[in-house]
Amino acid sequence: MSKRSLKSADVRGKRVLCRVDFNVPMADGQVTDDTRIKAALPTITWLREHGARIILCSHLGRPKGKVVEALRLAPVGKRLGELLGIDVTTASDVAGDDARRAAASLQDGDVMLLENLRFEPGEEQNAPAFARQLASLADLYVDDAFGAAHRAHASTEGVAHLLPAYLGFLMQQEIDALSRLLDNPATPFVAIIGGAKVSDKIEVLEHLVDRVSALLIGGGMANTFLLATGDDIGASLAEPDLVDRARQILDTARAAGVEVGLPTDVVVARQIEDDEGAVVSVDSIGDRAVFDIGPATAEAYANQVARARTVFWNGPLGVAENPAFAAGTRTVAQAVASAHGLTVIGGGDSIAAIEALGLADRIDHISTGGGASLEFLEGKQLPGIAVIPDADATKPEPASPAQTGEEA
Ligand code: ADP
Ligand code: MG
């Protein structure tokens, strides 16, 4: 089912409240990585070209309902202005007098940014009064914040009930790419799941296990699976209380004819900060700990990826921050970059790894939403998506408070 796209909106001369994900890394009052700002540009540019008066809003960090000076959005507004080549006003409040004044003085094609949404306690509480206050600034609502779509907050959910609501282009792109993994993916479909803990990813594993052709497991979480198959994992990180669920995933895979890849060789060491590891077979871990998959396992996974027509990768295969344990992740990353099939990557650390290797532009889709992309692949309905009307919705539009002049 497709959701109503921004393309179908008549935005000329209208004030458009657009939720974006500008939760960017900052240091000393400067944006240190503007990837997320750039990701929102297609929607912002389209809105400008179509004569909208654009009111952007985002959260930054975790101010927990209070003003935190270091988490003001002005540096983000400045960076956005540089990227667009225009002045972008950042209001000094979220939806108070300053925001209201700035919104009222916008001309067609102008762009402003509200102050950090999470300065307001009503944002995370999805408080109706705060949602009304946000809605009163605008005539239309566009959600382009995929990274926040798994949260039912005032700016991602509440406000969408109060204004005619549309999906932005980044949201659409994320939904399209992730849907291609769940709805009739081209086969063979290979999922590589790594990272620190099974507990973070167990629901994704459970949802994907009988949809993929092969599930290749690495990272710290592989240790729990090795426990489930009766291996001795020495001092490795594992979650013994999840061994039963891991075993169930293996059973489901067997019943569905899905191949599960577990490490056959591993890199072991005493400490995570050691500058050298030893490659051993999984039955010779001894009292050491596993910090990476071994070269034979990495090669086997790479071969599976090369043959796949759909590839999803989430989670480093080892402690990739330490060069001594980065080889498995590197081999798999190179295989994903070279794959002929559709390739999708999600997860902050996996993305950092692919970027550090300079391979990001060879991936079909890099998801901007960590938690949101995982929840999507768990098969959950994300509140920020669910609230947007379907493309063919016939339901009457909510009258916007801005149009009716109602006070918030
Ligand atoms: P992503 O952010 O891509 O979803 P995660 O956050 O789940 O990935 O996992 C990344 C973390 O997993 C990294 O900090 C990495 O050091 C850790 N990790 C990977 N393999 C191991 C391992 N064998 N032992 C301990 N930690 C590991
Ligand atoms: Mg992570």
Side-chain angles (χ1 to χ4, degrees):
M1 150 216 50
S2 76
K3 292 287 182 176
R4 195 162 62 181
S5 159
L6 174 56
K7 281 213 171 110
S8 66
D10 175 13
V11 301
R12 190 163 301 279
K14 304 259 177 66
R15 284 180 293 159
V16 177
L17 179 72
C18 181
R19 176 58 157 105
V20 288
D21 180 7
F22 285 172
N23 186 26
V24 294
M26 307 248 290
D28 305 323
Q30 299 275 334
V31 175
T32 54
D33 178 353
D34 61 7
T35 308
R36 284 183 168 168
I37 304 178
K38 287 180 173 154
L41 290 179
T43 289
I44 298 170
T45 302
W46 189 94
L47 285 168
R48 292 193 66 219
E49 285 170 0
H50 289 77
R53 305 173 175 203
I54 304 149
I55 305 164
L56 301 172
C57 60
S58 175
H59 75 279
L60 175 65
R62 298 178 174 198
K64 302 242 151 98
K66 286 194 290 286
V67 175
V68 174
E69 290 302 325
L71 294 176
R72 286 198 178 274
L73 274 171
V76 176
K78 181 165 168 280
R79 182 72 193 115
L80 173 66
E82 287 164 8
L83 290 169
L84 291 172
I86 57 168
D87 281 333
V88 173
T89 310
T90 303
S92 61
D93 54 23
V94 184
D97 290 342
D98 194 55
R100 201 169 289 280
R101 231 182 344 258
S105 67
L106 289 174
Q107 301 297 311
D108 296 0
D110 282 355
V111 180
M112 68 169 285
L113 178 59
L114 301 180
E115 187 49 282
N116 191 341
L117 288 161
R118 292 194 188 167
F119 285 1
E120 288 289 340
E123 164 64 357
E124 290 185 79
Q125 295 160 0
N126 198 3
F130 179 61
R132 278 198 301 275
Q133 220 177 321
L134 280 175
S136 73
L137 296 170
D139 307 300
L140 301 175
Y141 169 76
V142 173
D143 190 354
D144 212 22
F146 183 72
H150 58 316
R151 305 281 181 230
H153 292 168
S155 69
T156 59
E157 208 273 345
V159 72
H161 293 288
L162 304 174
L163 292 173
Y166 300 83
L167 281 188
F169 300 135
L170 175 63
M171 276 285 256
Q172 192 64 62
Q173 198 190 327
E174 289 276 5
I175 295 169
D176 290 349
L178 297 174
S179 298
R180 285 176 72 185
L181 301 177
L182 296 182
D183 308 334
N184 294 315
T187 56
F189 174 14
V190 172
I192 312 138
I193 311 286
K197 295 191 285 178
V198 186
S199 49
D200 291 338
K201 315 251 163 110
I202 189 107
E203 291 182 60
V204 174
L205 291 167
E206 287 170 346
H207 196 67
L208 289 183
V209 61
D210 52 3
R211 296 168 181 264
V212 297
S213 317
L215 187 60
L216 311 179
I217 298 175
M221 71 155 76
N223 301 329
T224 302
F225 279 87
L226 290 174
L227 273 185
T229 57
D231 283 285
D232 185 353
I233 59 164
S236 308
L237 172 95
E239 293 166 283
D241 51 326
L242 286 174
V243 165
D244 282 342
R245 270 172 92 179
R247 203 173 284 127
Q248 242 159 50
I249 289 171
L250 295 173
D251 290 345
T252 307
R254 197 172 306 115
V258 168
E259 184 180 341
V260 176
L262 286 177
T264 54
D265 63 340
V266 288
V267 180
V268 295
R270 300 267 162 215
Q271 312 276 345
I272 204 164
E273 52 286 314
D274 283 2
D275 49 21
E276 207 177 18
V279 175
V280 299
S281 148
V282 274
D283 50 27
S284 313
I285 295 168
D287 59 357
R288 293 161 297 182
V290 173
F291 293 119
D292 195 7
I293 57 172
T297 304
E299 213 42 56
Y301 288 7
N303 288 335
Q304 294 261 24
V305 167
R307 284 195 299 270
R309 290 176 62 210
T310 307
V311 179
F312 173 61
W313 175 32
N314 174 287
L317 287 304
V319 181
E321 304 92 320
N322 180 344
F325 309 123
T329 300
R330 187 168 58 239
T331 300
V332 167
Q334 281 161 346
V336 177
S338 309
H340 299 293
L342 170 78
T343 52
V344 178
I345 299 185
D349 293 287
S350 324
I351 294 167
I354 200 96
E355 281 174 348
L357 291 164
L359 299 172
D361 59 356
R362 291 171 60 192
I363 307 301
D364 292 310
H365 182 75
I366 294 185
S367 180
T368 54
S373 51
L374 286 184
E375 287 196 23
F376 193 101
L377 294 176
E378 285 164 11
K380 292 189 180 139
Q381 283 253 22
L382 308 192
I385 298 173
V387 72
I388 306 293
D390 292 345
D392 55 1
T394 49
K395 197 178 108 194
E397 293 299 347
S400 95
Q403 285 160 348
T404 56
E406 176 198 303
E407 267 308 307

